[in-house]
């Protein structure tokens, strides 16, 4: 019993599969995190904005000798960067939401691993403490 | 099993006679009532906030219940010397622990059920629909509460009563941390901190208030997996508690 417990404990300590913890950002497969950087979003650049840009461009063209340089001020840049994602999809703004265990299926196997390990450990501790108690008596 | 259940029912009756359980249950219901009074300020889906805060309140309630129910059971038995005749003949130490634990767990389950019903009533009174996953979410918080109950039993065998509550709260806080956050407490000993974190449960497994509040569906198998995960940690903690209890000299 003593040796069996020792072997199981040593196996748990040495096997890397048993030591890997699951901080989701650490163990996530690349494709899970890569979704964050995909930009399959819809830009909210409106027709009005384009018209405004065109107007600005025509003014620019007049003042700067017909140069076609699109110089945007800060407001124009932030406005063109604004975009809308589909509801319920993983993106750069919702990664915290999808980095939770219920959404990260790849850690479910590690949860099963923990269930098995903890049950085995609990059984070993129970048997070892009973063995010790009997020996004491 | 019969002696354990008889002793568990005795524990249940004795706990219900105490004022602690009623006090904590009233505090939980008052907190839920307060959450229901938060003005919506015309924000769409105000129900999200009620659900989010409500489930958080139930989680804190589970922690308070675990401490309030179990922290004094063994020290009181030992002080009043009732533990000696109990484990002398009718019960083994394991049966004593299981009886006490099951009794306290039943009280905690009843209190959490009342809390869940309270949250449902508050949602209805505010004109919000009740999400289908609210009851399973409360069940997961109950499993988390049972784990904390096992932790309180372990500390009650291992340390003095005044230390029990702070240590349990500390373990509760540490279990909420991510691995990287936990390592940042002591960055010099990364390996040791990783090992320690591995022994603690990931409490975020039991937190599904965000998807429920946002109406995102959760696979049914996840509830089963998370419940088993919590029960495995609970049995691990109970086995350590029993090992400590067996090594104690009660004379």
């Amino acid at each position: 019993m003593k040796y069996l417990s020792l072997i199981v404990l040593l196996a748990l300590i040495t096997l890397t599969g048993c030591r890997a913890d699951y901080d989701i950002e650490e163990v996530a497969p690349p494709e899970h995190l890569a979704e964050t950087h995909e930009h399959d979003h819809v830009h909210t650049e409106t027709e009005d904005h384009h018209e405004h840009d065109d107007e600005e461009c025509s003014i620019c063209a007049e003042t700067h000798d017909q140069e076609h340089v699109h110089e945007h001020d800060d407001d124009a840049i932030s406005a063109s960067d604004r975009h809308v994602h589909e509801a319920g999809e993983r993106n750069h703004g919702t990664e915290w939401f999808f980095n939770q265990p219920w959404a990260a299926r790849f850690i479910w196997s590690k949860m099963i691993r923990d269930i098995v390990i903890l049950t085995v450990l609990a059984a070993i501790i129970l048997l070892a403490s009973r063995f010790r108690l009997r020996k004491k008596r | 099993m019969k002696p354990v259940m008889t002793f568990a029912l005795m524990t249940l009756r004795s706990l219900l006679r105490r004022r602690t359980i009623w006090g904590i249950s009233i505090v939980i219901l008052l907190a839920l009532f307060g959450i229901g009074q938060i003005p919506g300020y015309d924000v769409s889906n105000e129900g999200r906030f009620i659900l989010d805060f409500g489930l958080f309140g139930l989680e804190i309630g589970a922690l308070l219940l675990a401490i309030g129910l179990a922290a004094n059971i063994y020290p009181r038995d030992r002080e009043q010397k009732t533990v000696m005749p109990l484990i002398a003949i009718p019960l083994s130490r394991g049966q004593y622990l299981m009886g006490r634990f099951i009794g306290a767990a039943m009280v905690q389950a009843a209190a959490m059920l009342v809390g869940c019903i309270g949250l449902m009533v508050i949602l209805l009174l505010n004109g919000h629909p009740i999400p289908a996953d609210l009851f399973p979410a409360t069940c997961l918080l109950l499993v988390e509460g049972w784990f904390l109950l096992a932790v309180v039993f372990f500390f009650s065998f291992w340390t003095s009563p005044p230390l029990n509550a702070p240590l349990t709260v500390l373990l509760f806080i540490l279990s909420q941390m991510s691995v990287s956050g936990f390592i940042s407490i002591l960055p010099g000993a990364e390996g040791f901190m990783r090992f320690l974190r591995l022994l603690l449960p990931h409490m975020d497994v039991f937190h599904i208030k965000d998807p429920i509040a946002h109406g995102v569906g959760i696979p049914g198998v996840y509830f089963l997996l998370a419940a088993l995960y919590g029960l495995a940690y609970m049995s691990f903690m109970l086995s350590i508690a029993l090992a400590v209890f067996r090594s104690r000299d009660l004379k």
Side-chain angles (χ1 to χ4, degrees):
Chain A
M1 179 64 208
K2 209 191 285 180
Y3 294 114
L4 180 71
S5 311
L6 205 66
I7 289 166
V8 173
L9 286 175
L10 277 175
L12 290 177
I13 292 167
T14 47
L15 292 174
T16 46
C18 297
R19 281 185 289 150
D21 211 340
Y22 43 88
D23 215 356
I24 291 173
E25 283 172 29
E26 273 185 16
V27 297
E31 59 268 25
H32 180 79
L33 295 175
E35 288 173 30
T36 307
H37 305 294
E38 283 176 11
H39 285 274
D40 51 344
H41 49 252
V42 181
H43 282 270
T44 55
E45 237 178 7
T46 58
E47 287 300 317
D48 293 342
H49 181 69
H50 281 294
E51 280 169 20
H52 174 74
D53 281 354
D54 289 341
E55 279 171 24
E56 274 187 352
C57 290
S58 62
I59 293 164
C60 285
E62 282 171 16
T63 37
H64 298 290
D65 284 339
Q66 306 293 322
E67 280 182 10
H68 263 283
V69 179
H70 288 258
E71 289 183 2
H72 297 274
D73 59 13
D74 287 344
D75 289 342
I77 288 168
S78 63
S80 64
D81 279 352
R82 248 186 297 150
H83 52 266
V84 175
H85 292 277
E86 285 295 316
E89 278 187 4
R90 185 189 170 93
N91 58 63
H92 54 89
T94 60
E95 56 187 359
W96 67 270
F97 186 82
F98 291 100
N99 277 352
Q100 295 182 60
W102 61 269
R105 283 174 184 265
F106 53 88
I107 64 144
W108 292 7
S109 58
K110 288 190 174 60
M111 283 169 68
I112 295 170
R113 176 205 68 181
D114 280 8
I115 292 167
V116 173
I117 289 176
L118 287 167
T119 311
V120 170
L121 279 178
I124 287 174
I125 291 168
L126 275 179
L127 290 174
S129 66
R130 182 185 278 184
F131 181 73
R132 208 177 146 202
L133 190 72
R134 279 188 184 167
K135 209 175 165 187
K136 221 160 98 176
R137 280 175 184 167
Chain B
M1 196 62 196
K2 201 183 171 192
V4 174
M5 285 318 292
T6 310
F7 190 51
L9 291 174
M10 278 172 61
T11 307
L12 176 75
R13 278 193 289 272
S14 72
L15 286 174
L16 289 177
R17 276 198 296 270
R18 285 191 200 169
R19 275 171 291 184
T20 323
I21 167 70
W22 300 108
I24 295 171
S25 300
I26 289 168
V27 166
I28 294 171
L29 288 176
L30 279 175
L32 289 176
F33 179 75
I35 288 162
Q37 299 306 306
I38 297 170
Y41 298 115
D42 290 334
V43 175
S44 61
N45 293 327
E46 179 208 355
R48 278 181 196 178
F49 304 117
I50 295 177
L51 258 175
D52 203 326
F53 284 117
L55 286 171
F56 176 68
L58 285 182
E59 187 185 8
I60 298 297
L63 171 69
L64 292 178
L65 277 167
I67 294 170
L69 286 169
N72 276 327
I73 290 182
Y74 171 69
R76 189 179 289 194
D77 281 350
R78 201 175 170 191
E79 198 180 313
Q80 295 176 344
K81 303 211 181 292
T82 47
V83 66
M84 287 300 285
L86 278 172
I87 61 167
I89 296 290
L91 296 170
S92 66
R93 291 192 187 207
Q95 286 173 325
Y96 169 85
L97 173 63
M98 284 316 293
R100 286 300 196 204
F101 178 80
I102 292 172
M106 284 196 282
V107 176
Q108 198 176 23
M112 291 292 280
L113 183 67
V114 170
C116 179
I117 293 169
L119 184 57
M120 285 176 181
V121 170
I122 285 160
L123 280 169
L124 282 177
L125 287 177
N126 284 279
H128 302 296
I130 297 170
D133 288 338
L134 180 58
F135 185 68
T138 311
C139 287
L140 286 188
L141 293 180
L142 176 63
V143 172
E144 183 184 344
W146 284 345
F147 163 71
L148 292 169
L149 200 63
V151 170
V152 173
F153 269 106
F154 163 67
F155 282 133
S156 73
F157 293 135
W158 186 62
T159 185
S160 60
L163 271 177
N164 195 329
L167 286 175
T168 307
V169 172
L170 183 69
L171 191 132
F172 175 76
I173 294 168
L174 292 177
S175 300
Q176 308 279 344
M177 295 175 85
S178 63
V179 178
S180 50
F182 190 77
I183 291 167
S184 67
I185 297 173
L186 203 63
E190 191 186 329
F192 176 67
M193 294 303 276
R194 270 189 188 277
F195 175 71
L196 272 187
R197 186 66 190 87
L198 199 56
L199 293 176
L200 297 173
H202 287 261
M203 291 295 201
D204 52 353
V205 166
F206 309 111
H207 299 169
I208 51 167
K209 57 181 189 289
D210 290 325
I212 292 178
H214 289 84
V216 178
I218 300 163
V221 70
Y222 180 77
F223 288 109
L224 181 70
L225 200 59
L228 285 176
Y229 178 81
L231 292 174
Y233 259 104
M234 184 196 80
S235 50
F236 175 63
M237 215 61 225
L238 279 175
S239 68
I240 298 177
L242 182 58
V244 174
F245 187 37
R246 276 175 172 164
S247 66
R248 282 264 165 186
D249 188 3
L250 298 174
K251 286 173 194 168

